[in-house]
């Protein structure tokens, strides 16, 4: 396989081939998926090919062309594609050739420390090679950014000679283009009854814990809120396709849903802790509740770039709760959608969503593929 790959490196580059990847080969998703969809419209001559793990091949839509990571077809594509687009990294290590263009889209605005900043937290790096991090950044030609905060962080933690593209997050375009009819269909498909308030509970991964352990008694939470509310539970993708919620009242497990953006559209409010989803959801200008029962442990073990719970405009996206009782009170009292929390949300959106307007994918495609 390696010998064949080395031979393919001497083949001419295909000027019309683009290889996409997302979340370490978990399927068609995130910014690369939005760019791929837009490229089909604006640059139809570009053939888009996705890299997917064999474990996730069933997630690939029938109209998407793909190769299995590590296969002969994968190495041929990596050797000859002119365009490379990923939100994480391509598997196996590859030799970037002169003439290839690599766009690193990343997959969210950083709250927790990333890249070289992780050197201050060695217990949780799990053997990360910072030399490999730097070598990977050296492959990038472009690094996509959603806001000035992100650009500043990427510049420091992934130092190299790539160009920043301060163009917004293509995956967020849907928040500006979805119609009311589409939102209604999404809600109905998820089982949200007319008149119900849907809360999307999306906690993130903890480096210092194994497995999905919700810091919320979902049975009690849904019972005490009553039938007016329904809770959509989205576990982090590290934990597979299920949150294991048998017997959790009116909580609906949406971990296996193919699009987190559609879940955001269907939800009336977001409950999260430290997930970068909060920065995306802010585009919708809907309430965000920071439920952070282990903020001290998380910040001490991983490090963060600002104090999410400070209550300062631009740092805190809305209501804050650190216990389940506080969370219940925030919802039942209406504080989650009060004028005070709306003002916090406005400041947060202005800081972290300045480029998102529904046209990010178009801007990226035109810049990266040179379509004008």
């Amino acid at each position: 396989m390696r010998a064949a790959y080395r031979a393919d490196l001497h083949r001419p580059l295909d000027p019309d081939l683009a290889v996409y990847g997302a979340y370490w080969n978990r399927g068609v998703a995130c910014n690369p998926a939005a760019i791929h969809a837009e490229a089909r419209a604006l640059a139809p001559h570009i053939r888009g090919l996705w890299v997917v793990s064999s474990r996730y091949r069933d997630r690939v839509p029938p109209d998407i062309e793909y190769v299995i990571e590590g296969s002969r077809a994968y190495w041929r594509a990596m050797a000859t594609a002119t365009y490379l687009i990923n939100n994480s990294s391509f598997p196996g290590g590859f030799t970037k050739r002169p003439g290839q263009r690599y766009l690193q889209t990343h997959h969210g605005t950083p709250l927790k420390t990333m890249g070289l900043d992780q050197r201050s937290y060695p217990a949780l790096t799990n053997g990360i090679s910072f030399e490999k991090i730097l070598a990977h950044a050296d492959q990038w030609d472009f690094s996509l950014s959603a806001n000035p905060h992100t650009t500043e962080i990427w510049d420091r933690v992934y130092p190299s000679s790539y160009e920043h593209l301060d163009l917004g997050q293509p995956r967020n375009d849907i928040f500006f283009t979805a119609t009311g009819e589409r939102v209604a269909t999404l809600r109905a498909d998820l089982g949200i009854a007319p008149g119900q308030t849907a809360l999307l509970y999306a906690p993130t991964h903890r480096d210092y814990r194994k497995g999905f352990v919700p810091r919320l008694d979902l049975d009690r939470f849904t019972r005490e809120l009553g039938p007016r509310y329904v809770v959509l539970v989205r576990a982090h993708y590290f934990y597979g396709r299920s949150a294991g919620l048998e017997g959790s009242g009116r909580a609906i497990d949406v971990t296996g849903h193919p699009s987190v953006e559609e879940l955001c559209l269907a939800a009336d409010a977001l409950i999260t802790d430290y997930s970068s989803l909060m920065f995306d959801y802010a585009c919708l200008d809907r309430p965000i509740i920071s439920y952070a029962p282990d903020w001290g442990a998380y910040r001490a073990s991983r490090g963060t770039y600002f104090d999410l719970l400070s209550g300062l405009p631009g740092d805190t996206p809305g209501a804050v709760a650190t216990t389940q009782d506080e969370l219940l009170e925030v919802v039942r009292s209406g504080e989650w959608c009060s004028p005070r929390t709306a003002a916090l949300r406005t400041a947060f959106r202005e800081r972290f969503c300045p480029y998102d307007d529904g046209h990010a994918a178009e801007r990226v495609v035109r810049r990266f593929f040179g379509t004008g």
Side-chain angles (χ1 to χ4, degrees), residues 14 16-22 25 32 35-36 46-52 65-69 73-87 89-91 94 100-105 368-369:
D14 183 338
D16 297 329
L17 178 59
V19 177
Y20 295 84
N25 322 308
I35 293 168
H36 179 215
I46 299 292
R47 174 192 170 204
L49 187 66
W50 280 81
V51 179
V52 180
E65 188 178 0
Y66 69 95
V67 293
I68 298 298
E69 65 168 304
Y74 165 74
W75 287 111
R76 170 68 62 85
M78 292 302 294
T80 58
T82 294
Y83 304 100
L84 307 171
I85 305 96
N86 208 309
N87 77 352
S89 60
F90 289 103
F94 69 95
Q100 288 187 315
R101 291 160 62 88
Y102 189 165
L103 169 61
Q104 173 57 244
T105 73
F368 184 61
F369 294 107

Side-chain angles (χ1 to χ4, degrees), residues 161-369:
S161 59
Y162 54 81
E163 178 182 345
H164 290 288
L165 297 184
D166 298 328
L167 301 176
Q169 297 232 71
R171 70 183 185 187
N172 292 345
D173 285 351
I174 190 174
F175 297 150
F176 299 88
T177 60
T179 63
E181 182 180 4
R182 182 175 185 184
V183 172
T185 299
L186 290 172
R187 287 172 66 90
D189 289 345
L190 289 167
I192 303 169
Q196 275 190 317
T197 297
L199 306 175
L200 176 59
Y201 174 49
T204 195
H205 167 68
R206 267 79 164 163
D207 298 275
Y208 58 89
R209 296 187 66 122
K210 291 185 178 180
F212 176 64
V213 182
R215 298 279 185 138
L216 189 59
D217 182 339
L218 290 163
D219 186 34
R220 177 195 167 200
F221 188 61
T222 56
R223 184 177 65 252
E224 295 199 19
L225 286 181
R228 176 187 165 191
Y229 293 88
V230 61
V231 179
L232 309 176
V233 181
R234 176 78 166 192
H236 192 275
Y237 58 83
F238 281 177
Y239 304 131
R241 308 186 193 190
S242 171
L245 300 183
E246 294 77 7
S248 295
R250 277 180 300 279
I252 301 174
D253 189 347
V254 293
T255 302
H257 194 282
S259 171
V260 71
E261 290 80 23
E262 290 186 350
L263 297 177
C264 289
L265 282 170
D268 296 292
L270 173 68
I271 302 173
T272 189
D273 40 32
Y274 325 117
S275 172
S276 64
L277 188 60
M278 73 179 85
F279 302 101
D280 305 316
Y281 196 81
C283 292
L284 288 167
D285 195 19
R286 298 178 189 172
I288 301 171
I289 303 171
S290 297
Y291 176 53
D294 59 341
W295 172 243
Y298 187 85
R299 197 171 196 189
S301 63
R302 179 60 192 258
T304 62
Y305 291 119
F306 57 89
D307 187 350
L308 181 68
L309 307 190
S310 69
L312 296 175
D315 284 359
T316 304
V320 170
T322 58
T323 68
Q324 180 156 318
D325 287 340
E326 289 178 357
L327 179 60
L328 281 165
E329 181 60 23
V330 159
V331 177
R332 288 187 297 207
S333 69
E335 175 63 10
W336 64 292
C337 55
S338 68
R340 184 188 72 84
T341 56
L344 287 173
R345 185 171 71 250
T346 295
F348 193 81
R349 188 174 66 255
E350 289 175 350
R351 179 182 180 188
F352 293 112
C353 310
Y355 312 140
D356 286 325
D357 58 2
H359 300 283
E362 177 185 352
R363 289 191 291 269
V364 172
V365 167
R366 293 192 186 283
R367 179 68 181 85
F368 184 61
F369 294 107

